[in-house]
Amino acid sequence: MKRIGVLTSGGDAPGMNAAVRAVVRKAIYHDVEVYGVYGGYSGLMNGNIEKLELGSVGDIIHRGGTMLLSARCEEFKTKEGQLKGIEQLKLAGIEGLVVIGGDGSYRGAKALTELGFPCVGVPGTIDNDIPGTQYTIGFDTALNTVIEAVDKIRDTAQSHERAFVIEVMGRNAGDLALWSGLAGGAETILIPEDNYDMNDICQRLIKSQERGKKHSIIIVAEGVASGVEFGKQIKERTDFDTRVSILGHIQRGGSPTAFDRVLASRLGARAVELLLKGKGGRAVGMKNNQVIDNDIADILGEAHTVDMNLLTLSKELSI
Ligand code: F6P
């Protein structure tokens, strides 16, 4: 392979830039040209493709967002859209593509590979919901952003003796809520992978108040329910003066943590190695601190799981 492409797609995640840098530098190191596809699959269909040099990815390792821009693209879910994309890649003389993104992006990469164009997926999403890797690029940074917010909210919760419901992102996965709840010492963590009972939650809050606990932090994953709705119910059923904070897209921004930069560098580089060995249809990931790769179709067929031991532990520690 003498020329490869790279794109970022779906929700941006801190560390995507570090992954793009790794792809570009690793490929050039091996005398392979790299082309950046701007604007995800949508940009691909429109032929928004430019050559990247070593300097194109200078000064980006520490930046959030993605220099290649990102998009969610309905048209690319169709075979017609995918063929349009392949046509543009061929026009540019590109022989393989690194796709950095979440499961929607992986579906596009799988489709292109099945149509004869080799792609390798790199997991980039704050949701940490991609099977085949313990961590996705951006998760650690988002987690630290959430923790910073939780710590600040805890200050005001304590001062006003209030309960705070904090809604965090994660789509249908509870990782961000679970990890931030454990790291932030939340009294209650609600994730889509677990059942909950509103009565139990309120009873626990009431009991904790009786024991002298004056404030409480409740982390709700967006995949469970709206934080506003939760806040309303807690206000109605307990004596807690309750407030709701929806952290929103702040969780997607910011300079990537060292962990995410290292992860992105390792995964981006491995994706290039796979393409250069002629291996398309793979998805890279991290397991026990080793870079691994799996069949992208297998990854998409698997369900994401969270570590329920963490939830049990958080319940034990928040009594
Ligand atoms: O997948 C990343 C993510 O931030 C999810 O956590 C969230 O549900 C979604 O994207 C938000 O998407 P958008 O930026 O399109 O509103």
Side-chain angles (χ1 to χ4, degrees):
M1 228 174 249
K2 277 286 148 214
R3 190 177 284 182
I4 65 166
V6 56
L7 64 77
T8 50
S9 151
D12 62 344
M16 277 185 164
N17 276 329
V20 171
R21 172 182 177 272
V23 170
V24 172
R25 297 262 167 106
K26 180 78 176 177
I28 295 177
Y29 177 84
H30 287 290
D31 289 325
V32 171
E33 289 182 348
V34 193
Y35 280 69
V37 178
Y38 288 80
Y41 290 127
S42 168
L44 175 61
M45 288 187 303
N46 296 325
N48 203 352
I49 300 172
E50 273 172 31
K51 189 168 186 213
L52 298 173
E53 308 289 353
L54 287 175
S56 314
V57 291
D59 205 24
I60 63 164
I61 196 167
H62 62 303
R63 293 193 198 283
T66 161
M67 66 164 272
L68 291 180
L69 314 178
S70 197
R72 301 193 196 278
C73 179
E74 283 302 313
E75 195 186 340
F76 203 74
K77 290 179 183 161
T78 66
K79 189 166 175 191
E80 204 189 9
Q82 293 152 9
L83 289 172
K84 255 194 215 172
I86 292 183
E87 199 184 313
Q88 294 295 344
L89 288 162
K90 288 196 169 155
L91 265 177
I94 296 168
E95 298 162 280
L97 182 68
V98 177
V99 172
I100 305 164
D103 56 352
S105 316
Y106 273 27
R107 264 185 272 282
K110 174 178 170 273
L112 291 184
T113 305
E114 284 169 355
L115 288 168
F117 196 90
C119 295
V120 174
V122 175
T125 165
I126 64 163
D127 300 336
N128 208 42
D129 60 350
I130 310 286
T133 188
Q134 279 174 312
Y135 301 107
T136 58
I137 298 165
F139 173 64
D140 185 63
T141 308
L143 178 58
N144 280 285
T145 302
V146 174
I147 283 305
E148 202 184 325
V150 170
D151 289 351
K152 286 177 177 162
I153 288 171
R154 183 177 282 287
D155 288 345
T156 179
Q158 177 264 322
S159 306
H160 285 265
E161 303 188 334
R162 283 172 170 162
F164 263 87
V165 175
I166 305 173
E167 183 190 305
V168 306
M169 279 186 168
R171 204 177 285 277
N172 299 316
D175 294 57
L176 205 47
L178 183 52
W179 284 66
S180 61
L182 186 56
E187 277 71 24
T188 308
I189 303 171
L190 300 170
I191 58 171
E193 294 85 352
D194 190 37
N195 297 320
Y196 73 92
D197 178 335
M198 204 60 208
N199 275 331
D200 279 357
I201 294 169
C202 292
Q203 279 311 311
R204 271 186 63 162
L205 280 171
I206 291 165
K207 285 209 177 102
S208 74
Q209 214 171 21
E210 285 167 3
R211 283 200 318 270
K213 232 175 185 173
K214 303 267 193 252
H215 62 276
S216 197
I217 302 286
I218 299 137
I219 307 259
V220 183
E222 65 174 354
V224 173
S226 129
V228 173
E229 196 41 48
F230 258 96
K232 229 197 254 168
Q233 299 228 20
I234 288 169
K235 209 170 194 164
E236 276 166 20
R237 299 190 195 195
T238 72
D239 287 338
F240 267 115
D241 186 16
T242 308
R243 294 290 186 273
V244 178
S245 219
I246 298 169
L247 299 187
H249 286 78
I250 192 171
Q251 294 161 97
R252 287 241 293 265
S255 175
T257 57
F259 181 89
D260 272 332
R261 296 181 203 189
V262 172
L263 180 68
S265 302
R266 293 179 75 184
L267 297 184
R270 173 61 67 87
V272 173
E273 282 170 7
L274 287 169
L275 280 182
L276 298 193
K277 283 185 193 150
K279 289 190 184 174
R282 308 296 293 171
V284 296
M286 187 66 77
K287 196 174 176 194
N288 300 328
N289 203 27
Q290 297 299 315
V291 181
I292 56 163
D293 60 275
N294 291 289
D295 188 317
I296 205 162
D298 291 347
I299 297 299
L300 286 168
E302 264 178 53
H304 166 70
T305 52
V306 284
D307 184 351
M308 295 303 270
N309 293 324
L310 294 184
L311 189 64
T312 307
L313 178 63
S314 85
K315 284 180 183 164
E316 288 168 359
L317 301 185
S318 63
I319 46 170

